[in-house]
Amino acid sequence: MANISIIGGGSWGQAMALLLHRNTHKVKVWEYNEANATQLQNERRNDAFLQGIVFPPEIYFTHKMTELFTEPPQIIIYAVPSSFIRKTVQQSRPYIERAFPEKQGKKSALTAIINLAKGLEENTLKRMSEVIREELPAAFGDKICTLSGPSHAEEVARGVPTVVVVAGDNKDTLYEVRKEFSNAVFRVYSTFDLVGVEIGAAVKNIIALAAGVVDGLGFGDNTKGALLTRGLAEIKRLGMAMHADIETFSGLSGLGDLVTTAISQHSRNRYVGYQLGKGEKLEDILSKMVMVAEGVITTKNIRELKEKLQISMPITEEMFQLLFEGKDPKEAIFALMTRSLKNEAD
Protein backbone atom coordinates (compact mmCIF):
# COMPACT_ATOMS: atom_id res chain seq x y z
CA MET A 1 0.00 0.00 0.00
CA ALA A 2 1.35 3.41 -1.00
CA ASN A 3 0.51 6.90 0.23
CA ILE A 4 -0.68 8.88 -2.81
CA SER A 5 -1.41 12.61 -2.92
CA ILE A 6 -3.57 13.95 -5.75
CA ILE A 7 -3.38 17.69 -6.38
CA GLY A 8 -6.63 18.61 -8.13
CA GLY A 9 -10.12 17.45 -7.24
CA GLY A 10 -11.89 17.74 -10.58
CA SER A 11 -13.17 14.79 -12.59
CA TRP A 12 -9.71 13.33 -13.25
CA GLY A 13 -8.49 13.78 -9.70
CA GLN A 14 -11.62 12.09 -8.42
CA ALA A 15 -11.39 9.22 -10.93
CA MET A 16 -7.73 8.62 -10.06
CA ALA A 17 -8.62 8.61 -6.37
CA LEU A 18 -11.17 5.85 -6.93
CA LEU A 19 -8.83 3.82 -9.12
CA LEU A 20 -5.97 3.99 -6.63
CA HIS A 21 -8.23 3.32 -3.64
CA ARG A 22 -9.43 0.17 -5.39
CA ASN A 23 -5.75 -0.79 -5.67
CA THR A 24 -5.61 -0.60 -1.84
CA HIS A 25 -3.58 2.62 -1.69
CA LYS A 26 -4.08 5.38 0.88
CA VAL A 27 -5.32 8.38 -1.12
CA LYS A 28 -5.61 12.07 -0.27
CA VAL A 29 -7.03 14.66 -2.69
CA TRP A 30 -6.51 18.42 -2.58
CA GLU A 31 -9.26 20.54 -4.17
CA TYR A 32 -8.64 24.29 -4.58
CA ASN A 33 -12.34 25.17 -4.23
CA GLU A 34 -13.11 24.96 -0.52
CA ALA A 35 -16.85 24.42 -1.03
CA ASN A 36 -16.20 21.52 -3.42
CA ALA A 37 -13.65 20.00 -1.06
CA THR A 38 -16.10 20.22 1.86
CA GLN A 39 -18.89 18.66 -0.21
CA LEU A 40 -16.65 15.79 -1.29
CA GLN A 41 -15.46 15.16 2.26
CA ASN A 42 -18.90 15.35 3.88
CA GLU A 43 -21.31 14.11 1.20
CA ARG A 44 -18.84 11.77 -0.57
CA ARG A 45 -19.98 12.87 -4.04
CA ASN A 46 -19.91 15.74 -6.54
CA ASP A 47 -22.33 15.14 -9.39
CA ALA A 48 -21.12 18.21 -11.28
CA PHE A 49 -17.91 16.30 -12.06
CA LEU A 50 -18.76 12.60 -11.77
CA GLN A 51 -22.47 11.93 -11.93
CA GLY A 52 -23.71 9.24 -9.55
CA ILE A 53 -20.31 8.31 -8.11
CA VAL A 54 -20.13 7.88 -4.33
CA PHE A 55 -16.66 7.93 -2.77
CA PRO A 56 -15.70 5.50 -0.01
CA PRO A 57 -14.91 7.08 3.38
CA GLU A 58 -11.24 6.07 3.19
CA ILE A 59 -10.51 8.68 0.45
CA TYR A 60 -9.62 11.95 2.16
CA PHE A 61 -10.55 15.26 0.50
CA THR A 62 -9.15 18.59 1.69
CA HIS A 63 -8.72 22.24 0.77
CA LYS A 64 -5.51 22.47 2.82
CA MET A 65 -2.51 21.37 0.79
CA THR A 66 -0.41 20.83 3.88
CA GLU A 67 -2.66 17.89 4.78
CA LEU A 68 -1.46 16.01 1.68
CA PHE A 69 2.02 15.84 3.17
CA THR A 70 1.45 14.97 6.85
CA GLU A 71 2.69 11.54 5.73
CA PRO A 72 5.21 11.77 2.85
CA PRO A 73 3.52 10.35 -0.27
CA GLN A 74 5.26 7.85 -2.51
CA ILE A 75 3.40 9.26 -5.53
CA ILE A 76 2.23 12.81 -6.28
CA ILE A 77 -0.30 13.41 -9.07
CA TYR A 78 -1.03 16.78 -10.65
CA ALA A 79 -4.62 16.62 -11.93
CA VAL A 80 -5.25 20.27 -12.82
CA PRO A 81 -5.83 21.96 -16.22
CA SER A 82 -2.71 22.94 -18.17
CA SER A 83 -3.27 26.66 -17.58
CA PHE A 84 -2.96 26.11 -13.80
CA ILE A 85 -0.03 23.70 -13.74
CA ARG A 86 2.80 26.17 -13.07
CA LYS A 87 0.96 28.05 -10.32
CA THR A 88 -0.13 24.81 -8.65
CA VAL A 89 3.37 23.31 -8.74
CA GLN A 90 4.76 26.53 -7.28
CA GLN A 91 2.17 26.32 -4.51
CA SER A 92 3.03 22.71 -3.72
CA ARG A 93 6.83 23.02 -3.87
CA PRO A 94 7.40 24.12 -0.25
CA TYR A 95 5.39 21.15 1.04
CA ILE A 96 7.28 18.74 -1.20
CA GLU A 97 10.63 20.13 -0.10
CA ARG A 98 9.70 19.81 3.57
CA ALA A 99 8.36 16.28 3.11
CA PHE A 100 11.46 15.14 1.21
CA PRO A 101 14.54 17.00 2.51
CA GLU A 102 17.61 16.24 0.43
CA LYS A 103 20.10 14.14 2.36
CA GLN A 104 23.45 13.00 1.03
CA GLY A 105 23.30 9.39 -0.08
CA LYS A 106 19.73 8.80 1.13
CA LYS A 107 17.22 7.52 -1.39
CA SER A 108 13.98 9.53 -1.43
CA ALA A 109 10.73 7.73 -0.64
CA LEU A 110 9.10 9.66 -3.50
CA THR A 111 8.87 7.35 -6.51
CA ALA A 112 6.85 9.34 -9.07
CA ILE A 113 5.44 12.78 -9.87
CA ILE A 114 2.70 12.30 -12.44
CA ASN A 115 1.13 14.87 -14.74
CA LEU A 116 -2.38 14.31 -16.14
CA ALA A 117 -2.85 17.67 -17.94
CA LYS A 118 -2.98 17.75 -21.75
CA GLY A 119 -1.77 20.91 -23.43
CA LEU A 120 1.00 23.47 -23.68
CA GLU A 121 1.65 26.42 -21.41
CA GLU A 122 0.48 29.71 -22.87
CA ASN A 123 3.25 32.11 -23.98
CA THR A 124 6.15 29.74 -23.20
CA LEU A 125 4.67 26.89 -25.30
CA LYS A 126 6.32 24.42 -22.92
CA ARG A 127 5.01 20.92 -22.40
CA MET A 128 3.56 20.08 -19.00
CA SER A 129 6.49 17.96 -17.85
CA GLU A 130 8.84 20.80 -18.76
CA VAL A 131 6.84 23.23 -16.62
CA ILE A 132 6.85 20.86 -13.64
CA ARG A 133 10.56 20.22 -14.04
CA GLU A 134 11.27 23.96 -14.01
CA GLU A 135 9.32 24.53 -10.80
CA LEU A 136 10.59 21.62 -8.68
CA PRO A 137 14.11 20.99 -7.35
CA ALA A 138 16.42 19.25 -9.81
CA ALA A 139 16.61 16.22 -7.50
CA PHE A 140 13.05 15.31 -8.48
CA GLY A 141 13.58 15.65 -12.24
CA ASP A 142 13.77 11.94 -13.05
CA LYS A 143 10.56 11.26 -11.09
CA ILE A 144 8.43 13.39 -13.45
CA CYS A 145 6.23 11.57 -15.96
CA THR A 146 2.97 11.98 -17.87
CA LEU A 147 0.04 9.54 -17.90
CA SER A 148 -2.12 9.73 -21.02
CA GLY A 149 -4.15 7.73 -23.50
CA PRO A 150 -7.73 6.93 -24.53
CA SER A 151 -9.42 7.44 -21.19
CA HIS A 152 -12.37 9.42 -19.90
CA ALA A 153 -12.63 10.09 -16.18
CA GLU A 154 -16.29 9.07 -16.16
CA GLU A 155 -15.45 5.57 -17.43
CA VAL A 156 -12.36 5.10 -15.26
CA ALA A 157 -14.46 5.98 -12.23
CA ARG A 158 -17.01 3.30 -13.18
CA GLY A 159 -14.34 0.66 -13.71
CA VAL A 160 -14.72 0.43 -17.48
CA PRO A 161 -11.70 -1.44 -18.97
CA THR A 162 -9.12 1.21 -19.92
CA VAL A 163 -5.57 1.13 -21.29
CA VAL A 164 -3.17 4.08 -21.01
CA VAL A 165 0.54 4.86 -21.32
CA VAL A 166 2.98 6.51 -18.93
CA ALA A 167 5.97 8.39 -20.37
CA GLY A 168 9.13 9.50 -18.61
CA ASP A 169 12.89 9.28 -18.50
CA ASN A 170 13.49 6.86 -15.64
CA LYS A 171 12.71 3.17 -16.07
CA ASP A 172 12.29 2.62 -12.31
CA THR A 173 9.74 5.43 -12.11
CA LEU A 174 7.81 4.06 -15.09
CA TYR A 175 7.85 0.56 -13.61
CA GLU A 176 6.52 1.88 -10.31
CA VAL A 177 3.62 3.69 -11.99
CA ARG A 178 2.73 0.63 -14.06
CA LYS A 179 2.74 -1.56 -10.95
CA GLU A 180 0.76 0.73 -8.65
CA PHE A 181 -1.87 1.85 -11.16
CA SER A 182 -2.63 -1.34 -13.09
CA ASN A 183 -5.40 -3.76 -12.19
CA ALA A 184 -7.91 -6.01 -13.96
CA VAL A 185 -9.70 -3.05 -15.60
CA PHE A 186 -6.90 -0.46 -15.87
CA ARG A 187 -3.71 -1.37 -17.71
CA VAL A 188 -0.65 0.87 -18.01
CA TYR A 189 2.04 0.58 -20.68
CA SER A 190 5.23 2.66 -20.61
CA THR A 191 7.46 4.58 -23.01
CA PHE A 192 10.48 6.86 -22.87
CA ASP A 193 8.96 9.14 -25.53
CA LEU A 194 7.72 11.90 -23.25
CA VAL A 195 7.65 14.45 -26.10
CA GLY A 196 5.51 12.24 -28.33
CA VAL A 197 3.02 11.36 -25.60
CA GLU A 198 2.55 14.99 -24.57
CA ILE A 199 2.27 16.30 -28.13
CA GLY A 200 -0.24 13.60 -29.05
CA ALA A 201 -2.28 14.39 -25.93
CA ALA A 202 -2.36 18.10 -26.70
CA VAL A 203 -3.08 18.15 -30.44
CA LYS A 204 -5.77 15.46 -30.38
CA ASN A 205 -7.96 17.91 -28.44
CA ILE A 206 -7.86 20.30 -31.40
CA ILE A 207 -8.91 17.52 -33.76
CA ALA A 208 -11.68 16.55 -31.33
CA LEU A 209 -12.99 20.12 -31.49
CA ALA A 210 -13.04 19.84 -35.27
CA ALA A 211 -14.80 16.47 -35.05
CA GLY A 212 -17.50 18.10 -32.96
CA VAL A 213 -17.91 20.80 -35.59
CA VAL A 214 -18.35 18.08 -38.24
CA ASP A 215 -21.08 16.46 -36.14
CA GLY A 216 -22.73 19.78 -35.36
CA LEU A 217 -22.93 20.60 -39.04
CA GLY A 218 -24.63 17.26 -39.68
CA PHE A 219 -21.92 15.74 -41.86
CA GLY A 220 -21.34 11.99 -41.92
CA ASP A 221 -18.88 9.20 -41.28
CA ASN A 222 -16.95 9.92 -44.47
CA THR A 223 -16.16 13.41 -43.23
CA LYS A 224 -15.22 12.21 -39.74
CA GLY A 225 -12.95 9.48 -41.07
CA ALA A 226 -11.15 11.94 -43.32
CA LEU A 227 -10.78 14.47 -40.51
CA LEU A 228 -9.27 11.98 -38.07
CA THR A 229 -6.86 10.63 -40.66
CA ARG A 230 -5.61 14.06 -41.67
CA GLY A 231 -5.63 15.14 -38.03
CA LEU A 232 -3.29 12.29 -37.17
CA ALA A 233 -1.03 13.45 -40.01
CA GLU A 234 -0.85 16.89 -38.33
CA ILE A 235 0.01 15.35 -34.98
CA LYS A 236 2.80 13.32 -36.57
CA ARG A 237 4.14 16.31 -38.47
CA LEU A 238 4.47 18.38 -35.33
CA GLY A 239 5.82 15.48 -33.31
CA MET A 240 8.54 14.74 -35.84
CA ALA A 241 9.58 18.40 -35.86
CA MET A 242 10.00 18.12 -32.08
CA HIS A 243 12.04 14.90 -32.38
CA ALA A 244 9.41 12.53 -31.04
CA ASP A 245 9.30 8.85 -32.01
CA ILE A 246 6.92 8.52 -34.98
CA GLU A 247 5.69 5.14 -33.67
CA THR A 248 4.25 6.83 -30.58
CA PHE A 249 1.50 8.40 -32.70
CA SER A 250 0.22 5.00 -33.78
CA GLY A 251 -0.20 4.07 -30.13
CA LEU A 252 -2.37 4.89 -27.15
CA SER A 253 -1.54 8.59 -26.82
CA GLY A 254 -1.77 9.13 -30.57
CA LEU A 255 -4.35 7.21 -32.58
CA GLY A 256 -6.03 5.72 -29.52
CA ASP A 257 -6.62 8.99 -27.69
CA LEU A 258 -7.53 10.80 -30.90
CA VAL A 259 -10.31 8.41 -31.87
CA THR A 260 -11.71 8.14 -28.33
CA THR A 261 -11.84 11.91 -27.78
CA ALA A 262 -13.27 12.66 -31.20
CA ILE A 263 -16.21 10.26 -30.99
CA SER A 264 -17.11 10.19 -27.29
CA GLN A 265 -20.15 11.79 -25.70
CA HIS A 266 -17.95 12.36 -22.63
CA SER A 267 -15.50 14.56 -24.56
CA ARG A 268 -15.66 18.21 -23.52
CA ASN A 269 -13.69 19.24 -26.60
CA ARG A 270 -16.00 17.42 -28.98
CA TYR A 271 -18.96 19.03 -27.16
CA VAL A 272 -17.58 22.54 -27.69
CA GLY A 273 -17.03 21.81 -31.38
CA TYR A 274 -20.52 20.34 -31.72
CA GLN A 275 -22.13 23.45 -30.26
CA LEU A 276 -20.02 25.65 -32.54
CA GLY A 277 -21.19 23.60 -35.52
CA LYS A 278 -24.75 24.21 -34.37
CA GLY A 279 -24.13 27.96 -34.50
CA GLU A 280 -23.61 28.78 -30.81
CA LYS A 281 -20.99 31.35 -29.81
CA LEU A 282 -17.83 30.17 -28.07
CA GLU A 283 -18.21 32.44 -25.04
CA ASP A 284 -21.76 31.20 -24.49
CA ILE A 285 -20.68 27.56 -24.69
CA LEU A 286 -17.81 27.98 -22.24
CA SER A 287 -19.91 29.99 -19.77
CA LYS A 288 -22.24 26.99 -19.32
CA MET A 289 -19.46 24.45 -18.71
CA VAL A 290 -18.30 23.37 -15.26
CA MET A 291 -15.17 21.61 -16.56
CA VAL A 292 -12.39 22.89 -18.82
CA ALA A 293 -12.18 22.08 -22.54
CA GLU A 294 -8.39 22.07 -22.94
CA GLY A 295 -8.61 22.15 -26.74
CA VAL A 296 -9.67 25.80 -26.90
CA ILE A 297 -6.50 27.34 -25.44
CA THR A 298 -4.45 24.48 -26.91
CA THR A 299 -5.55 25.52 -30.39
CA LYS A 300 -4.08 28.96 -29.82
CA ASN A 301 -0.87 27.57 -28.38
CA ILE A 302 -0.32 24.87 -31.00
CA ARG A 303 -1.06 27.35 -33.75
CA GLU A 304 1.65 29.62 -32.36
CA LEU A 305 4.07 26.68 -32.13
CA LYS A 306 3.43 25.49 -35.68
CA GLU A 307 3.99 29.04 -36.95
CA LYS A 308 7.27 29.16 -35.04
CA LEU A 309 8.36 25.80 -36.48
CA GLN A 310 6.91 26.61 -39.95
CA ILE A 311 4.83 23.44 -40.12
CA SER A 312 1.67 22.98 -42.18
CA MET A 313 -1.27 22.15 -39.88
CA PRO A 314 -4.41 23.18 -41.81
CA ILE A 315 -6.98 21.72 -39.38
CA THR A 316 -5.33 23.56 -36.50
CA GLU A 317 -5.30 26.75 -38.55
CA GLU A 318 -8.98 26.51 -39.46
CA MET A 319 -9.95 25.77 -35.86
CA PHE A 320 -7.97 28.81 -34.74
CA GLN A 321 -9.82 30.95 -37.29
CA LEU A 322 -13.15 29.53 -36.11
CA LEU A 323 -12.46 29.92 -32.38
CA PHE A 324 -10.63 33.24 -32.29
CA GLU A 325 -11.33 35.03 -35.57
CA GLY A 326 -15.06 34.37 -35.89
CA LYS A 327 -14.89 32.22 -39.01
CA ASP A 328 -18.08 30.42 -39.98
CA PRO A 329 -17.90 26.64 -39.29
CA LYS A 330 -19.05 25.70 -42.80
CA GLU A 331 -16.45 28.00 -44.30
CA ALA A 332 -13.75 26.36 -42.18
CA ILE A 333 -14.65 22.88 -43.46
CA PHE A 334 -14.94 24.18 -47.01
CA ALA A 335 -11.47 25.72 -46.74
CA LEU A 336 -10.05 22.33 -45.81
CA MET A 337 -11.82 20.60 -48.70
CA THR A 338 -10.66 23.10 -51.31
CA ARG A 339 -6.97 23.28 -50.43
CA SER A 340 -4.51 22.69 -53.26
CA LEU A 341 -4.33 19.03 -54.30
CA LYS A 342 -1.24 17.08 -53.28
CA ASN A 343 0.16 13.63 -52.47
CA GLU A 344 -1.25 12.05 -49.31
CA ALA A 345 2.21 11.73 -47.75
CA ASP A 346 2.92 15.46 -48.09
Side-chain angles (χ1 to χ4, degrees):
M1 182 178 76
N3 291 328
I4 300 178
S5 291
I6 300 174
I7 301 177
S11 59
W12 259 118
Q14 293 176 30
M16 284 291 106
L18 279 169
L19 167 72
L20 294 164
H21 169 73
R22 291 168 185 153
N23 286 5
T24 72
H25 299 306
K26 186 175 181 179
V27 183
K28 293 181 179 180
V29 183
W30 173 83
E31 162 58 27
Y32 86 99
N33 184 297
E34 187 171 4
N36 285 346
T38 301
Q39 180 185 5
L40 285 163
Q41 184 62 20
N42 294 339
E43 300 178 19
R44 316 308 301 172
R45 64 189 299 158
N46 186 333
D47 287 336
F49 288 93
L50 289 179
Q51 180 73 32
I53 296 295
V54 178
F55 296 93
E58 293 83 2
I59 298 175
Y60 185 75
F61 294 95
T62 180
H63 177 61
K64 299 176 181 178
M65 193 172 288
T66 185
E67 294 184 351
L68 294 188
F69 299 94
T70 52
E71 299 174 86
Q74 282 78 57
I75 295 174
I76 298 170
I77 301 172
Y78 288 102
V80 298
S82 58
S83 56
F84 299 109
I85 278 285
R86 188 177 294 275
K87 182 178 179 180
T88 305
V89 177
Q90 289 172 345
Q91 185 177 351
S92 63
R93 175 171 176 156
Y95 303 105
I96 295 173
E97 289 179 319
R98 283 199 292 270
F100 303 100
E102 294 184 43
K103 294 182 180 178
Q104 192 75 22
K106 182 176 180 181
K107 185 178 180 181
S108 172
L110 183 63
T111 59
I113 299 169
I114 304 170
N115 160 63
L116 301 183
K118 299 179 177 182
L120 301 182
E121 184 178 46
E122 194 168 9
N123 299 321
T124 70
L125 305 182
K126 292 182 183 294
R127 294 176 287 107
M128 295 295 97
S129 62
E130 293 179 302
V131 174
I132 296 171
R133 195 180 300 269
E134 283 185 356
E135 296 299 336
L136 290 181
F140 300 116
D142 66 345
K143 309 294 186 188
I144 298 167
C145 53
T146 286
L147 187 75
S148 189
S151 52
H152 290 297
E154 296 86 349
E155 295 190 359
V156 171
R158 291 191 287 110
V160 173
T162 301
V163 182
V164 298
V165 61
V166 62
D169 301 326
N170 185 301
K171 65 179 177 60
D172 293 332
T173 294
L174 298 181
Y175 175 80
E176 193 69 18
V177 175
R178 280 166 29 193
K179 178 170 68 77
E180 303 297 0
F181 279 65
S182 295
N183 58 34
V185 294
F186 194 87
R187 182 175 175 84
V188 184
Y189 287 90
S190 59
T191 177
F192 292 117
D193 187 16
L194 190 52
V195 174
V197 165
E198 292 187 314
I199 289 299
V203 183
K204 61 89 183 176
N205 281 333
I206 303 173
I207 311 305
L209 281 166
V213 172
V214 164
D215 289 338
L217 289 170
F219 296 145
D221 295 339
N222 292 359
T223 316
K224 182 75 71 67
L227 175 76
L228 298 188
T229 304
R230 298 311 301 167
L232 184 60
E234 291 195 15
I235 295 173
K236 288 181 176 179
R237 202 174 297 133
L238 179 60
M240 290 174 66
M242 299 182 70
H243 309 292
D245 182 351
I246 190 67
E247 292 300 319
T248 296
F249 304 113
S250 298
L252 292 163
S253 66
L255 180 62
D257 205 3
L258 172 63
V259 171
T260 300
T261 310
I263 67 174
S264 175
Q265 299 299 313
H266 297 306
S267 170
R268 300 188 288 273
N269 294 291
R270 181 198 164 277
Y271 170 80
V272 171
Y274 181 82
Q275 297 303 126
L276 288 168
K278 287 291 187 183
E280 195 167 348
K281 298 297 183 183
L282 179 62
E283 56 269 24
D284 295 333
I285 301 169
L286 298 180
S287 68
K288 300 173 187 175
M289 296 179 67
V290 175
M291 293 177 279
V292 176
E294 292 271 33
V296 176
I297 190 62
T298 298
T299 300
K300 178 178 178 292
N301 296 337
I302 293 293
R303 196 253 192 177
E304 185 176 342
L305 181 60
K306 68 102 172 170
E307 291 290 299
K308 180 180 177 181
L309 297 174
Q310 298 184 321
I311 300 169
S312 173
M313 298 181 70
I315 298 172
T316 298
E317 180 62 34
E318 290 303 321
M319 288 308 300
F320 175 82
Q321 296 294 329
L322 193 162
L323 291 169
F324 300 105
E325 302 292 337
K327 191 167 189 175
D328 180 79
K330 283 186 179 179
E331 289 182 8
I333 300 299
F334 182 76
L336 291 171
M337 292 298 295
T338 55
R339 295 174 62 237
S340 60
L341 303 178
K342 56 182 66 181
N343 292 329
E344 185 180 19
D346 294 340

